[in-house]
């Protein structure tokens, strides 16, 4: 149990985003914003899976609760559900084993953390493998990897089918969120 006088644990959210291309948005609260990565195949509970994670723009903390439809013509247009949510415990340390702030772990390109979510649990790592600088090929890229711990799965795929996945906030699927918003729009018109 956490001491009530202690700083609350930072939050995370994983949103499924049916945009131009279906992907998962993996977001971690860091220094007052949601640091964000687009994960095309979604986070996995299977340590054998190495998931590409491409950094996207930071988002306001309030966005971790967003579930709905971003209208056509707007940046990121498409349907969004909150697939998972919870807190995380930063586990980053330097080469001598001394704890470092999580933002510094990210800056160094290797951040480990323990997720305490409704669906994702246990230790994960974000590891930068391409910096995205002008002398490198392409944009910055990371891997999101599940640790081999008690919460890991090994005998099945570790990522849900995004078309059948349900929201951790409302229990709805992408289709149900989209249909509900379309119904609200037609009722207003």
């Amino acid at each position: 149990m956490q001491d009530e006088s202690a700083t609350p644990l930072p939050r995370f959210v994983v949103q499924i985003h049916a945009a131009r291309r279906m992907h998962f948005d993996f977001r971690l609260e860091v220094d007052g914003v949601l640091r964000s990565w687009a994960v095309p195949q979604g986070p996995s509970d299977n340590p054998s899976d190495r998931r590409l994670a491409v950094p996207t723009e930071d988002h306001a903390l309030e966005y971790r609760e967003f579930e709905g439809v971003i209208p056509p013509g707007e940046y990121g247009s498409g349907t969004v559900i909150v697939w998972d949510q919870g807190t995380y415990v930063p586990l980053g340390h330097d080469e001598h084993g001394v704890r470092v702030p999580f933002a510094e772990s990210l800056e160094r390109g290797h951040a480990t953390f323990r997720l305490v979510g409704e669906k994702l649990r246990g230790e994960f790592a974000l590891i930068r493998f391409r910096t995205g600088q002008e002398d490198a090929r392409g944009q910055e890229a990371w891997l999101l990897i599940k640790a081999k711990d008690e919460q890991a799965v090994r005998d099945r795929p570790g990522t849900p089918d995004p078309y059948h996945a349900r929201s951790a906030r409302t229990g709805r699927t992408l289709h149900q969120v989209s249909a509900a918003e379309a119904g609200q729009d037609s009722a207003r018109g």
Side-chain angles (χ1 to χ4, degrees), residues 158-169:
T159 304
D161 173 353
Y163 296 100
H164 295 99
R166 295 199 171 269
S167 165
R169 294 190 72 228

Side-chain angles (χ1 to χ4, degrees), residues 146-180:
K146 174 74 174 103
K148 295 177 182 176
D149 60 15
E150 304 81 42
Q151 289 82 23
V153 301
R154 290 170 182 79
D155 57 345
R156 60 179 170 80
T159 304
D161 173 353
Y163 296 100
H164 295 99
R166 295 199 171 269
S167 165
R169 294 190 72 228
T170 64
R172 298 183 301 171
T173 64
L174 286 164
H175 177 75
Q176 290 170 326
V177 169
S178 179

